Amino acid sequence: MPSPSVPFPSVLDLTPVVPVVVVEDLADAVPLARALVAGGLPAIEITLRTPVALDAIRAVADAVPDAVVGAGTLISPAQVDDVVAAGARFLVSPGWTDVLLESMRASGVPFLPGVSTASEVVALLERGVREMKFFPAEAAGGTAYLKALSGPLPQARFCPTGGIGPANAPEYLALPNVGCVGGSWMLPADAIAARDWDRVETLARQASTLK
């Protein structure tokens, strides 16, 4: 795994599962990240869905050197600037526009723009982007849709996110155009509420072995 000072070529090749994390309490960010890393899931996407998300990214980047912390739910260039300044090492968006795409590209940080249709995939390929987030994966057609895309668009690779858990993750990971999947099943709400980081670590370790 790359150190904090070493760039990496692709988010899709870091780990089979990228935890999608919603941090409600800033005090949880560092122990949660440590549990995920200890369980073998170092690439951690912290979503910008809560008021403390930016501080959570900063805290994990500062205190958990073995984590590759990223930022998700990016929808504006201002957010891109903020999360990169906070220490985010990869960027994820639920969708994309040319303005957002160029901001992510200009950041110099690896990024996964979100797509859910063949036209969006083709548009990104035209712009030189080959790695994407497929969202919302299950609602947008799941493995059948991604399998259908692999024929005419084999150069595109995906991180499917949305509706994915331990039962169906292997079906996605078996596809030739899927590099990893995103999910939050290793972060059950009751475990977070109880600050049961040992349970999070155990679930992360199970997820890290998926293929």
Side-chain angles (χ1 to χ4, degrees):
M1 187 190 73
S3 74
S5 61
V6 177
F8 50 89
S10 171
V11 179
L12 301 185
D13 298 326
L14 287 174
T15 179
V17 178
V18 176
V20 179
V21 181
V22 179
V23 178
E24 301 285 355
D25 186 335
L26 182 58
D28 293 340
V30 168
L32 185 156
R34 285 176 174 154
L36 291 172
V37 170
L41 298 181
I44 302 168
E45 175 189 336
I46 296 179
T47 65
L48 297 189
R49 301 182 193 177
T50 66
V52 301
L54 198 61
D55 287 332
I57 292 169
R58 186 176 293 108
V60 173
D62 289 345
V64 193
D66 289 335
V68 180
V69 62
T73 323
L74 295 173
I75 58 173
S76 74
Q79 289 179 326
V80 172
D81 293 341
D82 288 344
V83 299
V84 172
R89 297 178 62 200
F90 65 92
L91 313 173
V92 186
S93 66
W96 67 278
T97 65
D98 278 318
V99 171
L100 180 60
L101 183 67
E102 288 313 306
S103 177
M104 292 193 291
R105 196 196 302 268
S107 74
V109 175
F111 59 92
L112 296 173
V115 297
S116 61
T117 68
S119 294
E120 291 170 317
V121 175
V122 171
L124 283 177
L125 291 174
E126 283 183 349
R127 290 158 175 79
V129 178
R130 296 190 173 193
E131 298 187 344
M132 313 165 195
K133 170 180 178 174
F134 180 60
F135 174 83
E138 283 289 281
T143 55
Y145 193 90
L146 284 172
K147 190 179 299 183
L149 288 180
S150 67
L153 303 169
Q155 60 272 61
R157 297 179 70 215
F158 301 95
C159 174
T161 304
I164 298 177
N168 61 356
E171 299 172 22
Y172 282 93
L173 292 169
L175 297 175
N177 55 351
V178 169
C180 64
V181 300
S184 56
W185 70 87
M186 71 297 298
L187 300 163
D190 58 340
I192 302 301
R195 292 184 164 86
D196 188 351
W197 309 127
D198 288 340
R199 184 180 171 201
V200 171
E201 180 180 340
T202 297
L203 293 172
R205 184 170 292 108
Q206 293 168 355
S208 73
T209 65
L210 295 175
K211 300 179 180 181

